[in-house]
Amino acid sequence: MAAKKNDPKREARIAKNNRNLNSALTLFTAGFVAEFYLLLIHQYFIKGTVGQVVAVSYYLDAMIWVGAAVLAAGVVLTVMRSKWTRYAALGKWLLGLGLFFAFSSLLMRRVYPLGTTAMCILVPVIMLLSVVFLLYQREFAVQTAGLTLTIAAAVLLNHGSATKAGLVSTLSVVALLAVIALLVVTLLLRRKDGQYKETIVFPPQANYTLTCAVLALCIVAIAAALFAGFAYYVIWGASVALFLLAVWYTVKLL
């Protein structure tokens, strides 16, 4: 009996899925470690004694420069990756580590105490969005990004203090503009069959109608929270929508 021929397309698809899964697990692990580190900083820098707060402040001052040095090393290895091929992977890690330590230390040191709280929220959100981007359909990743920005803006508006009203409003407007940009890019890619130059951003079977509808509703929801005071209801509505979409796209993967 003749051996069954392998399907090159199927093998390529399996290999790509395996790479995405490995990348998602790596990002999840890195995000978990980073969040544990940030929670330690939060414990001793925000809730600690005076001596602990002073000690952590000196530590963060030092880590700003350490992170910058690591980032510079990552840039050098990345630029020279064609000659130093064996260090190509190390360059990517140094870039990520340097950027994380430099940015987080600067933010936590200069914006006290909100910078530390913001980093504790930002890291898991970015990690989860990255995992969704790698494992789920591309349109769901865009929808998740839009709904996440909507929830974040609504939470800021619902819990922001009067003294930070200007900052809260500015950040909410930035979230609104980001969702509008997502919608515009999605519409432009729809006209080009989901491709940008030679890169396939959306597959041919992408559901543009649902994606654009979700982003449009996100724009309306952020505007309602920003100008009409409906932030509390927007939080719950966007959260329910995100859960239902997650269930829908998870079933489609099965």
Side-chain angles (χ1 to χ4, degrees):
M1 187 175 180
K4 185 178 180 180
K5 293 183 178 180
N6 294 327
D7 184 356
K9 293 184 178 180
R10 180 175 179 274
E11 291 182 350
R13 185 170 63 254
I14 293 175
K16 181 180 178 180
N17 290 337
N18 289 336
R19 288 195 301 269
N20 288 342
L21 179 60
N22 291 333
S23 298
L25 290 174
T26 301
L27 283 172
F28 183 84
T29 303
F32 178 83
V33 174
E35 184 66 9
F36 180 77
Y37 166 81
L38 292 170
L39 288 175
L40 283 178
I41 298 295
H42 188 276
Q43 177 65 32
Y44 295 108
F45 193 44
I46 307 301
K47 299 181 178 180
T49 63
V50 175
Q52 291 172 338
V53 171
V54 172
V56 175
S57 68
Y58 286 135
Y59 165 79
L60 292 176
D61 285 335
M63 289 306 297
I64 294 173
W65 297 104
V66 171
V70 174
L71 180 61
V75 171
V76 172
L77 291 179
T78 302
V79 172
M80 301 296 292
R81 64 183 181 274
S82 58
K83 294 183 179 180
W84 302 341
T85 54
R86 62 186 300 181
Y87 299 112
L90 178 60
K92 295 179 180 179
W93 277 103
L94 291 180
L95 279 175
L97 287 173
L99 182 62
F100 169 74
F101 282 115
F103 175 76
S104 64
S105 300
L106 182 64
L107 181 64
M108 291 187 290
R109 187 66 180 89
R110 299 294 183 265
V111 185
Y112 182 87
L114 294 180
T116 306
T117 304
M119 284 301 304
C120 290
I121 297 172
L122 189 61
V123 165
V125 168
I126 293 176
M127 181 266 293
L128 290 174
L129 287 175
S130 300
V131 170
V132 169
F133 180 83
L134 288 169
L135 297 183
Y136 280 81
Q137 297 89 338
R138 195 60 53 82
E139 63 264 30
F140 178 55
V142 174
Q143 295 166 21
T144 301
L147 288 168
T148 300
L149 288 169
T150 302
I151 294 171
V155 169
L156 283 173
L157 291 167
N158 191 55
H159 296 285
S161 61
T163 57
K164 300 291 184 179
L167 178 61
V168 168
S169 298
T170 301
L171 292 175
S172 299
V173 171
V174 170
L176 178 62
L177 294 176
V179 178
I180 292 174
L182 281 175
L183 179 58
V184 171
V185 170
T186 302
L187 291 172
L188 291 175
L189 287 171
R190 183 179 186 178
R191 295 176 58 183
K192 297 181 179 297
D193 297 325
Q195 294 187 15
Y196 176 73
K197 294 182 179 180
E198 301 298 326
T199 303
I200 299 177
V201 180
F202 289 108
Q205 68 275 16
N207 192 338
Y208 290 101
T209 302
L210 178 59
T211 302
C212 292
V214 170
L215 294 177
L217 287 174
C218 288
I219 294 171
V220 174
I222 296 176
L226 185 60
F227 301 112
F230 292 154
Y232 177 80
Y233 303 101
V234 169
I235 294 172
W236 283 101
S239 299
V240 171
L242 182 58
F243 174 77
L244 293 177
L245 287 170
V247 172
W248 167 254
Y249 280 102
T250 300
V251 171
K252 290 181 65 176
L253 285 176
L254 301 178

